[in-house]
Amino acid sequence: MIALNQVGYSISAKKKAVLTKGSRFQVLQVMKEGEKIVLEKESVRFGRDEASQDEVSIADFSELQAEGIYYLKDDAGETSYHFRIGADIYRPLQKDLLKAFYYQRCGCALEAEYAGEYTHACCHRDRALLWENHDISKEVNGGWHDAGDFGRYISPAAVAVAHLLYAFLLFPESFQEEINIPESGNGVPDVLNECRYELEWMLKMQDEEGGAYHKLTSAMHADFMMPEEDKSQFYLFPVSSMATADYAAAMALASRVYAAYDKAFADRMMNAAYKAWSWLEKHPEYIGFHNPENCNTGEYDDVCDKDERLWAAAEMFVTTGEEKYQKVLKELYKENLGKTDFGWTDVSGLASMAILTDGKKQAEESLIKGFRDIVLKEADRLVHLSEECGYMVAMEPEDYVWGSNMVVLNRGMLLVLVCTLVEEKAAYEDAALSQLHYLLGTNAVGYSYVTGYGENAYKNPHNRPTACDGIDLPMPGWVSGGPSGIPYDETAIANIPQGTPPMKCYLDHVACYSLNEITIYWNSPAVFVTAYFNR
Ligand code: 9MR
Ligand code: ZN
């Protein structure tokens, strides 16, 4: 195999492919008149890559800087997929990664004008019942379907929105293009239009005391069907401290971002954030969430809410400038939290994001320095991991968990964040870009993990509309969960032999929910990382 980024490389970027058999390689340019060899070189032996157990060599063709379509051939007779070298190489990708959120909209029809062939009728508009008291119902329409299922969950929502809002805050120049959604052209960047669809729903997900319902789902996952065919009763599940802290954080952040566009909306969100915060003050203990009996929808359970509270304190402080939040932040800062992760389980990295971006002006020097040292240290570790890996991705064998592409992309986010903090950023930038290269094909299975992007893009996401709409190809722009060293679903367990190296534990199969599902919070970090490279 010859693995490389199947979308391609920008003109001046470093360009490296991974050979598993050959050593000498040629780069061929594909033109109307035919093909021609434009480069012939020796690769550099790397040795055994741990996560894939492949013996690999690295083919460096960075000197190639002419726009065009190319592929590689090696002396073992292997050929690569085609790729492009060109300007703005990841722009269409970023657009579709963001447009994907529109396809998750719940409670409305997807019209052909915006959805093309991927239309569907209005879904999930019935009132939801409180799980704990079926006599009480609420109107909680809207939001994005979380994933391949139709559930809507607060923590994943908060995290996905935060990734998108920070991408916009840091790299606004990458969000100038419209993405053809109903609100396009209203004078507000489409990334904010799309996030607002989620935020308006989130505003409905708060109870009278300020707590956020952990989730809104049916009792059991629907069978495979189009969203509008799912007539099951939806329930509001109990408030958790994890969801409420994430909620406070996301609302405070969003309020800060939208203030310049719609003051009334920003105020509504800030009020929701204050209410959630007072709920947190009243409930200092951890209130987790476990699926009750007779419920099998997503659990998003956690064991600790200190990271969520840390993030909430950070966003509340940055948005209001009030000392009382910084005080809480400083207390929680002392806890043993990573402060470098951006996933739904550990959101403590989002506190770093807040303090090291908008928070730089208000926060105490020592706090800024503390957060900065932590993210720099982690970035150095990631650069090192990336150098230790034959496929140049900053991942260790045990990092291939359910949704490993989220780990890949969250690490890309951390590296990108560090690029915005330091002068000497070349190593961090290379490593961040390597995460994207891995996602788009520089990996041991040779797939691009984004639908529609790459000659060998995966095609069978575990996503109900994709599986049921009768259209061959899925909509473009969906990140797959990716390989998992321990597969959980039946199809994966039956088809992946025990002992398969973790980077190779992947199947492009619609039934593989533990390897090939899509979620909003696997796309959102991809938007963040591509937005950096599209500046
Ligand atoms: O992304 C989640 C992953 O980290 C967990 O290991 C897994 C099992 O708890 O659940 C994943 O989340 C799923 C959620 O529970 C329901 N919607 C689809 C999500 C992606 O598979
Ligand atoms: Zn729906």
Side-chain angles (χ1 to χ4, degrees):
M1 188 177 65
I2 303 181
L4 45 67
N5 183 331
Q6 295 162 30
V7 171
Y9 303 84
S10 55
I11 294 170
S12 58
K14 289 190 185 147
K15 308 169 187 76
K16 292 176 184 174
V18 179
L19 315 187
T20 57
K21 291 190 180 140
S23 68
R24 216 178 157 67
F25 70 98
Q26 298 176 331
V27 185
L28 293 95
Q29 185 172 10
V30 184
M31 293 162 302
K32 273 197 224 92
E33 318 81 75
E35 12 179 279
K36 70 166 187 222
I37 299 168
V38 291
L39 189 70
E40 180 156 359
K41 267 179 90 174
E42 203 59 48
S43 62
V44 177
R45 219 185 112 69
F46 174 88
R48 186 174 295 277
D49 167 68
E50 211 190 335
S52 64
Q53 290 297 310
D54 286 342
E55 287 283 343
V56 303
S57 301
I58 309 291
D60 189 336
F61 51 102
S62 304
E63 56 263 54
L64 214 66
Q65 303 213 339
E67 288 205 23
I69 313 257
Y70 302 88
Y71 70 98
L72 266 63
K73 256 186 190 171
D74 68 21
D75 54 358
E78 302 284 296
T79 56
S80 77
Y81 293 106
H82 291 75
F83 63 94
R84 205 163 69 78
I85 293 178
D88 294 335
I89 192 90
Y90 309 121
R91 259 185 197 281
L93 170 66
Q94 187 201 321
K95 220 172 139 180
D96 278 335
L97 288 167
L98 180 60
K99 178 72 181 264
F101 289 82
Y102 165 75
Y103 292 112
Q104 294 300 93
R105 287 191 187 191
C106 182
C108 66
L110 300 190
E111 310 284 357
E113 194 182 344
Y114 315 107
E117 54 183 336
Y118 302 106
T119 54
H120 69 70
C122 191
C123 59
H124 304 118
R125 299 273 311 176
D126 294 339
R127 292 174 75 85
L129 305 181
L130 291 198
W131 179 261
E132 289 170 310
N133 180 356
H134 292 188
D135 295 334
I136 303 178
S137 74
K138 269 189 83 162
E139 187 272 295
V140 274
N141 295 334
W144 299 315
H145 297 141
D146 177 56
D149 63 318
F150 302 133
R152 279 154 287 151
Y153 310 79
I154 285 300
S155 294
V159 164
V161 164
H163 295 163
L164 296 177
L165 295 184
Y166 274 115
F168 172 70
L169 278 176
L170 289 169
F171 319 117
E173 60 279 29
S174 297
F175 290 94
Q176 284 169 9
E177 259 178 280
E178 288 175 3
I179 57 167
N180 186 31
I181 53 178
E183 301 80 7
S184 293
N186 66 355
V188 178
D190 272 350
V191 60
L192 299 191
N193 284 326
E194 194 50 55
C195 285
R196 183 167 182 161
Y197 196 82
E198 185 76 340
L199 289 160
E200 292 280 7
W201 164 74
M202 286 175 75
L203 282 167
K204 302 177 185 177
M205 287 291 287
Q206 191 169 36
D207 78 0
E208 295 68 41
E209 288 167 36
Y213 298 108
H214 192 78
K215 65 173 178 176
L216 168 65
T217 72
S218 45
M220 304 297 273
H221 278 308
D223 290 337
F224 266 52
M225 61 178 79
M226 290 301 282
E228 67 271 29
E229 288 163 5
D230 176 25
K231 300 295 179 201
S232 40
Q233 176 64 54
F234 271 56
Y235 298 94
L236 284 159
F237 287 82
V239 166
S240 69
S241 58
M242 173 200 182
T244 305
D246 284 335
Y247 187 94
M251 285 295 162
L253 162 63
S255 174
R256 192 160 86 233
V257 179
Y258 286 79
Y261 298 91
D262 184 339
K263 187 71 178 42
F265 179 49
D267 288 347
R268 270 165 68 210
M269 291 193 287
M270 203 55 221
N271 283 334
Y274 284 130
K275 266 179 82 177
W277 184 267
S278 20
W279 185 98
L280 291 169
E281 284 179 330
K282 258 181 254 147
H283 300 273
E285 74 286 9
Y286 173 65
I287 303 177
F289 177 81
H290 281 296
N291 266 344
E293 248 181 88
N294 310 322
C295 172
N296 76 349
T297 52
E299 199 163 44
Y300 292 113
D301 58 329
D302 205 342
V303 288
C304 150
D305 66 6
K306 295 232 159 73
D307 52 314
E308 284 83 9
R309 288 175 191 261
L310 177 85
W311 180 32
E315 299 293 0
M316 294 294 288
F317 170 61
V318 176
T319 302
T320 64
E322 283 173 40
E323 190 47 38
K324 78 178 238 203
Y325 302 111
Q326 180 161 243
K327 220 175 133 221
V328 179
L329 178 65
K330 278 160 67 182
E331 275 312 305
L332 289 166
Y333 179 88
K334 294 184 210 143
E335 299 278 341
N336 185 23
L337 299 167
K339 306 184 190 78
T340 57
D341 214 333
F342 309 107
W344 63 266
T345 353
D346 179 2
V347 297
S348 61
L350 287 164
S352 308
M353 183 77 84
I355 297 304
L356 296 173
T357 57
D358 283 352
K360 265 187 299 203
K361 288 185 212 96
Q362 296 124 291
E364 279 177 18
E365 270 315 310
S366 61
L367 206 52
I368 298 176
K369 184 173 181 316
F371 276 110
R372 189 187 153 94
D373 290 348
I374 289 168
V375 299
L376 282 178
K377 189 165 168 232
E378 173 67 358
D380 287 335
R381 185 182 80 91
L382 296 181
V383 168
H384 179 72
L385 283 187
S386 162
E387 287 161 358
E388 296 280 285
C389 167
Y391 287 88
M392 296 162 280
V393 67
M395 294 281 282
E396 292 180 278
E398 58 274 20
D399 295 327
Y400 292 86
V401 293
W402 186 329
S404 62
N405 283 336
M406 178 182 91
V407 183
V408 170
L409 291 163
N410 286 354
R411 289 179 177 181
M413 282 181 71
L414 192 279
L415 290 158
V416 162
L417 172 63
V418 165
C419 289
T420 69
L421 302 175
V422 299
E423 291 287 323
E424 287 292 312
K425 56 184 175 210
Y428 305 118
E429 203 163 84
D430 284 354
L433 194 50
S434 292
Q435 303 300 95
L436 198 60
H437 293 330
Y438 167 91
L439 189 78
L440 297 171
T442 313
N443 57 57
V445 291
Y447 277 107
S448 161
Y449 290 121
V450 182
T451 52
Y453 283 84
E455 205 183 340
N456 193 38
Y458 85 104
K459 294 188 180 64
N460 303 293
H462 179 89
N463 183 26
R464 283 170 175 71
T466 308
C468 301
D469 61 10
I471 304 166
D472 264 2
L473 286 178
M475 51 284 245
W478 275 118
V479 173
S480 161
S484 172
I486 307 170
Y488 290 89
D489 63 84
E490 274 170 43
T491 313
I493 292 169
N495 290 289
I496 297 180
Q498 285 246 323
T500 302
M503 202 198 285
K504 292 183 170 167
C505 290
Y506 174 73
L507 288 175
D508 180 17
H509 195 297
V510 64
C512 289
Y513 56 84
S514 68
L515 307 177
N516 213 29
E517 191 164 351
I518 55 136
T519 75
I520 54 173
Y521 53 91
W522 297 337
N523 259 54
S524 53
V527 172
F528 186 100
V529 174
T530 49
Y532 176 74
F533 290 105
N534 287 331
R535 272 143 48 250

